[in-house]
Amino acid sequence: MSRMPVIKIYHSSENLAVAAAAEFRQLAESAIARRGQFSVALSGGRTPERFLRQLAEPIDIVWEKVHFFWSDERCVPPDHADSNYGMANRTLFRKIKIPPQNIHRIRGEAEAHAEAKRYEAEIRRQLSVPGNAVPEFDLILLGLGMDGHTASLFPGQETPGILDRLCAVGRHPQTGQLRVTITLPLINAAREVLFLIAGESKAEIVARILHRQPESADYPAAQVAPIPGIYFWYLDRASARLI
Ligand code: 6PG
C-alpha cells in the first residue's frame, strides 16, 4: 500500500452511512462555495445503499450544483437489478429535486469500449480541465471487494495498470460480466477518496491491505493513493475486526 488512509471505525454500518452522508454534505457545501459545483463519483455494489438513503433525508444541499458520476457500472440496462445507477435512482434520485442533466450515468446498455470513451469525454467536459490534464473530482467513493478489487479494477487484469486513460473496460472474474470503470490516474487525482467498507466478509481483506501483507501490493485497492488529496477508509466494527 503506497499510502495509508485515515481510518475511521463506526459501531455499525448504519452509523457509517450517517457519517459518510455528513462528510458528503460538508464537502458539497465547501466545493459549491469555492467552485460553484460539487462533482462526486458514487461507488457501486450494496454497501452504498444505506449511505444513499441517508442523503435522501431532508438535508440542505443545493442539488442543482451537485453532479453525480459513478466509479463504475455493470454493462446492463439501467433498470436491471445489477445496475449501480438503478440502485441510486431508487434510493436517492427519485426522492430529491436534481436536474436530470446532473446525473451522468454510465450507459450500461451501450457497447462497453465505446461507452468508456464517451464517459471519459463527459467527465472531461463537466470537470472542464485544460488539455490532457487529469480531472479532479471533489469526491470519489469506492468499495472494496474480497479479492482486493475496487471500482471494477480487478487483480490480474490489465485495467489497474492503465495510466493513459481515465476510463476502461473490466470483466468480473467470477461472472464474466463486463464493467465500465474509472482508472487509477483519475481516482488518485481526486480531492478526496473515501472507501465505504462494511461487513464481516471484508475483515480479512481489510487486514491484509492495512497490515501491508506482501501479496497485498498487487491489489488494485492498495494502489489507491490520492496525492495531494485527502484519503479515508470508513469501516464498521465487523469489517475492522482484524485490524
Ligand atoms: C461494483 C463496485 C465494486 C464494489 C465492491 C464492494 O460495481 O460492484 O464498484 O467495486 O464497490 O465489490 O461491493 P459490496 O458493497 O456489494 O460489498
Side-chain angles (χ1 to χ4, degrees), residues 43-48 72 74 84 142-145 149-152 179 202:
S43 53
R46 291 181 306 280
T47 303
D72 70 325
R74 291 82 180 274
N84 290 331
L142 292 172
L144 176 64
H149 80 256
T150 192
S152 283
R179 309 279 190 85
K202 304 294 173 70

Side-chain angles (χ1 to χ4, degrees), residues 42-243:
L42 297 176
S43 53
R46 291 181 306 280
T47 303
E49 189 163 349
R50 283 192 167 93
F51 156 69
L52 294 171
R53 290 190 193 286
Q54 281 296 324
L55 283 188
E57 296 297 317
I59 47 179
D60 52 350
I61 290 183
V62 181
W63 292 116
E64 293 75 18
K65 304 280 190 184
V66 177
H67 286 268
F68 282 99
F69 293 80
W70 275 262
S71 300
D72 70 325
E73 182 58 277
R74 291 82 180 274
C75 291
V76 295
D79 57 355
H80 189 285
D82 283 357
S83 170
N84 290 331
Y85 160 79
M87 190 269 278
N89 190 41
R90 288 190 300 276
T91 54
L92 176 61
F93 300 139
R94 283 178 183 166
K95 301 173 184 173
I96 61 174
K97 284 175 67 64
I98 184 165
Q101 65 268 27
N102 287 31
I103 298 172
H104 306 269
R105 73 176 183 91
I106 300 170
R107 297 170 188 167
E109 68 276 21
E111 191 283 314
H113 293 86
E115 178 55 18
K117 287 190 176 66
R118 186 205 65 80
Y119 186 57
E120 173 163 341
E122 183 161 348
I123 291 170
R124 287 188 177 281
R125 200 167 39 250
Q126 185 58 42
L127 275 60
S128 61
V129 286
N132 273 335
V134 180
E136 295 172 7
F137 273 96
D138 292 304
L139 174 63
I140 292 182
L141 290 153
L142 292 172
L144 176 64
M146 290 164 62
D147 61 355
H149 80 256
T150 192
S152 283
L153 302 170
F154 294 102
Q157 294 186 11
E158 54 102 16
T159 43
I162 291 175
L163 300 177
D164 62 348
R165 276 172 282 155
L166 305 180
C167 302
V169 177
R171 183 184 291 274
H172 193 284
Q174 274 79 45
T175 66
Q177 187 183 60
L178 286 180
R179 309 279 190 85
V180 174
T181 183
I182 61 175
T183 58
L184 283 166
L186 185 56
I187 291 170
N188 288 335
R191 293 187 177 92
E192 178 165 326
V193 174
L194 171 55
F195 272 79
L196 305 181
I197 305 171
E200 172 64 31
S201 68
K202 304 294 173 70
E204 179 68 32
I205 189 66
V206 162
R208 263 193 248 147
I209 293 175
L210 294 185
H211 292 162
R212 298 170 183 256
Q213 287 184 7
E215 78 285 357
S216 69
D218 295 333
Y219 297 143
Q223 295 165 34
V224 172
I227 295 173
I230 296 166
Y231 188 23
F232 283 116
W233 281 26
Y234 282 14
L235 305 168
D236 67 353
R237 278 190 315 160
S239 62
R241 186 174 61 82
L242 300 175
I243 59 172

